[in-house]
Amino acid sequence: MFPKRIASAVCGRAGPCVALRASVSRSTTVRHSHTTVPKISISEFFEMHRPTWAEIDLDAVEHNIREFKTKAFPDERDLVAVVKADAYGHGAVEVAEAALRAGANRLAVATVEEGVQLRLSGRIPASIPIHCMGLFMSHHAATFVKHNITPTVHSVGAVRAIEHAAHDLNRRFPIHLKIDTGMGRIGALPKSVESIAKAIEESKTLHLEGVFTHFSKADEKDKSYTKKQVESFERCFSAIKRHHLKPLFVHAANSAGSMDHHDIGDPSDSVRSNMFRVGISMYGYYPSDEMSNKNQVHLKPVMTWKTRVIQSKDLEPGHKISYGGYYETSRHPHTSIATLPVGYADGYRRLLGAAKNHKTGKVENHGWGVLLRGHKAKIVGRVCMDMFMIDVTDIAAHHGSEVREGEEVVLLGRQGQSQITCDEMSHALGTITYEITCLVGKRVPRIYLRGG
């Protein structure tokens, strides 16, 4: 079933099997992260689960990190591996470990609980900084300090809350100040930077480790708005310097900014951007089709989503398929239909199947499909919560053999010479690659591969 590489199986976080790990190349067992759970084999693991899973290629994670380290910024700048939202659906702890092996210097999350999860895993060295770039609320301050998670502050109130929580430390606690230069999400507005800088300057317990902003249009061809954000940031940085603050890190570049080399800082005194954050591109995807320098780094997709046929049958003409009967078989003498055990409850979007246009009342079908025996098989009828159906008539005829239960199907990724990319799926759904991987559900076990 799997290549002869290290494989780790992680069951859905909502289920009874959490953080299962295995080594196919060594012991061929699955082991729960807690030693009280007995070891089970890979075959036993799949005996307890339907045959739907996502393979996470940790070698690809390491490759993508090295591409940025050696090509995007081949200098001494620190690389931050962004593992928020459970590493965009790939698994935060496993991806974090791979990124660190490849040379990432720090980790970034969006919420305090994501940072706590990494710390409590026991698999992230205590010396590795974990930066929470998103939500900060005053009642979280003690948790940030207890678990050594670097918070983002954006107000004087936030500074005071962290200062109070860290008052018993025998060292200065690091914080990063985020400035809203045009994203309109979180961050201090430029007019507030002076007062926040003053509060940090007066603090006896805090250390302004970093100052940053976030580009909202760095993945677009027109860079004029990004340049305005850079100019706004540089003006704010002047206010910070007036309060004798010397942050170690200045950063704004996300995956898109890293590829297009957006710099920030005051060119007169060499205070320049010295850290960059890699999010979506760590998982093998370019931020957008408009990236002018996307060929600068060669990325490898990390996730492959697979399932297996659970039933195959021949239906005579006139047989309706799935809810609403939107699809009706018409081939003679029969249409071969295969059922797959995956649906919208797993993040496989309902819109990929047949749907009724509420404005026109007409049934529409994207013509979307999956890969079986290296060929595309189209979805027929609506995608259900737990299953959907595909037409395999032509595939069976091409190979001269019926499609049978247990045959492997690729929902996302490569099979033979054919491929379904995350970009293609996101375009079909009118969304972005980020959403596709983030929504692969908790019921889908992640199988981690390494050593290829």
Side-chain angles (χ1 to χ4, degrees), residues 58 61-70 73 75-81 95-107 128-129 275-276 278 282:
L58 298 179
V61 173
E62 295 186 35
H63 165 86
N64 296 335
I65 289 293
R66 286 192 294 268
E67 283 288 291
F68 274 89
K69 289 284 284 188
T70 59
F73 283 119
D75 52 22
E76 297 303 316
R77 304 186 195 203
D78 276 22
L79 185 150
V80 183
V95 169
E97 289 179 313
L100 293 172
R101 283 194 299 269
N105 307 95
R106 307 165 70 91
L107 303 173
I128 297 296
M275 189 159 71
F276 59 105
V278 180
M282 178 166 62

